[in-house]
Amino acid sequence: MNSLNIAFIGGGNMARSIVGGLVKQDYRPENICVSDPNPPKLEALAADFGIRVNSDNTLTVAEAAVVILAVKPQAMKAVCLALRPHLPASALIISIAAGISCTSISQWLGAERHLVRCMPNTPALVQMGASGLFAAAGVTAAEKAMAEHIMAAVGTVAWVQDEDLLHAVTAVSGSGPAYFFLFLEAMAQAGVQQGLDPATARHLAVQTAAGAARLAQADNTELAELRRRVTSPGGTTEKAIAAFEQRHLRETVDIAMQACANRSRELAELLGR
Ligand SMILES: NC(=O)c1ccc[n+]([C@@H]2O[C@H](COP(=O)([O-])OP(=O)(O)OC[C@H]3O[C@@H](n4cnc5c(N)ncnc54)[C@H](OP(=O)(O)O)[C@@H]3O)[C@@H](O)[C@H]2O)c1
């Protein structure tokens, strides 16, 4: 699988992180080609990873077994319509564009395409991503394995069987890093209010989040039980948790994630036309 010809359309942040992960996983750089309209981005990608680059999308896909569409959702329609006559018939198409449905992409690229949609997140930049994947009708088991292998280069993957669930994936992991950054901001700020210097408050908050996440990954115990283990009756943590619960933290999270998924549906509708 490491010798597949992979073409990226769009050489921005996400493409860079996936390329970096693939090269680290011993995918052959000479089999990876990225196209983008910005020469400095292409030069940097070629210099950093030894891959091929091209400013012409049509040449980039010419011999690709897998084409990864990594442009902004707003650019997808024009990019797909222009690529349509040039895509190899057998290429697997992986779209990482948020919100753009398989129906829209198939309308633009042709219904016969084998298509996987992927919702990654920014920790992919440090190979700690979490991606949701959906395979449209007609995608084979071998193609699913290819898509999974590629996205596993930047983190973990989870398949959903219903495309609509990618809105829920967006609400959990796609937008999720921002929720944790907000929580970390609030924790660091509260630490400063209590007298810590900003650098120490930030360091302690960030390391605590990383440690808690690592602990939850290492131990498959229920999350509520992991919480209970640090919440001694009558102790300090119990007071903090009670304050969160009294102020309806769970309800707030639920409302926020519903708002996120709803916006994801609205954008899909708007940009998929
Ligand atoms: N970042 C995230 O957290 C995240 C999470 C989930 C999904 N995604 C999805 O990942 C995709 C890429 O996001 P990103 O953050 O990597 O965006 P990005 O950094 O803006 O990268 C997109 C690149 O595509 C280039 N481009 C524009 N038109 C093009 C064309 N016609 N042909 C080839 N390249 C073209 C852009 O150039 P210009 O800058 O000149 O326009 C830019 O370099 C988006 O669809 C986004 O929805 C991102």
Side-chain angles (χ1 to χ4, degrees):
M1 218 175 274
N2 291 16
S3 58
L4 283 173
N5 260 324
I6 304 177
F8 287 80
I9 304 301
N13 296 318
M14 274 293 157
R16 165 171 271 276
S17 60
I18 299 169
V19 167
L22 291 173
V23 170
K24 252 193 201 158
Q25 284 210 345
D26 290 334
Y27 272 78
R28 290 196 199 133
E30 63 271 26
N31 290 346
I32 299 174
C33 188
V34 175
S35 67
D36 193 283
N38 305 279
K41 269 187 203 171
L42 293 181
E43 284 157 22
L45 283 163
D48 292 346
F49 304 114
I51 60 166
R52 291 182 295 119
V53 294
N54 205 311
S55 56
D56 184 333
N57 290 349
T58 62
L59 292 178
T60 299
V61 301
E63 289 177 4
V66 180
V67 175
I68 302 182
L69 301 171
V71 294
K72 289 283 187 205
Q74 296 83 337
M76 277 286 283
K77 183 174 183 179
V79 163
C80 289
L81 291 174
L83 271 184
R84 183 174 182 153
H86 305 280
L87 283 171
S90 61
L92 170 67
I93 314 294
I94 302 176
S95 165
I96 65 166
I100 308 289
S101 70
C102 289
T103 305
S104 299
I105 300 170
S106 297
Q107 270 167 12
W108 303 332
L109 287 182
E112 68 286 2
R113 301 292 174 194
H114 286 196
L115 182 59
V116 167
R117 271 188 64 197
C118 169
M119 183 63 199
N121 66 6
T122 51
L125 296 167
V126 290
Q127 274 87 55
M128 286 289 289
S131 298
L133 296 178
F134 170 76
V139 172
T140 65
E143 288 171 328
K144 279 182 77 174
M146 261 190 241
E148 188 167 326
H149 202 254
I150 289 170
M151 292 315 298
V154 287
T156 61
V157 301
W159 288 94
V160 293
Q161 301 308 320
D162 176 351
E163 187 174 5
D164 195 57
L165 285 174
L166 286 180
H167 297 298
V169 170
T170 303
V172 177
S173 52
S175 297
Y179 317 157
F180 287 103
F181 295 140
L182 177 65
F183 202 78
L184 286 171
E185 274 176 68
M187 279 178 71
Q189 227 167 356
V192 170
Q193 288 295 329
Q194 295 192 22
L196 294 174
D197 67 81
T200 304
R202 183 192 197 277
H203 164 77
L204 292 175
V206 170
Q207 177 64 15
T208 301
R214 186 69 67 85
L215 202 57
Q217 276 178 330
D219 185 339
N220 218 13
T221 307
E222 289 280 316
L223 295 171
E225 174 56 21
L226 289 175
R227 171 174 53 78
R228 277 193 288 272
R229 286 182 193 166
V230 281
T231 314
S232 317
T236 55
T237 311
E238 190 183 60
K239 286 287 181 200
I241 299 290
F244 284 135
E245 298 283 17
Q246 277 158 17
R247 284 164 184 75
H248 310 292
L249 178 72
R250 289 169 201 270
E251 199 185 339
T252 305
V253 171
D254 186 37
I255 290 167
M257 287 177 57
Q258 278 181 38
C260 181
N262 288 342
R263 183 62 181 151
S264 175
R265 286 191 183 89
E266 280 170 15
L267 287 174
E269 169 59 29
L270 195 71
L271 297 170
R273 284 179 200 147

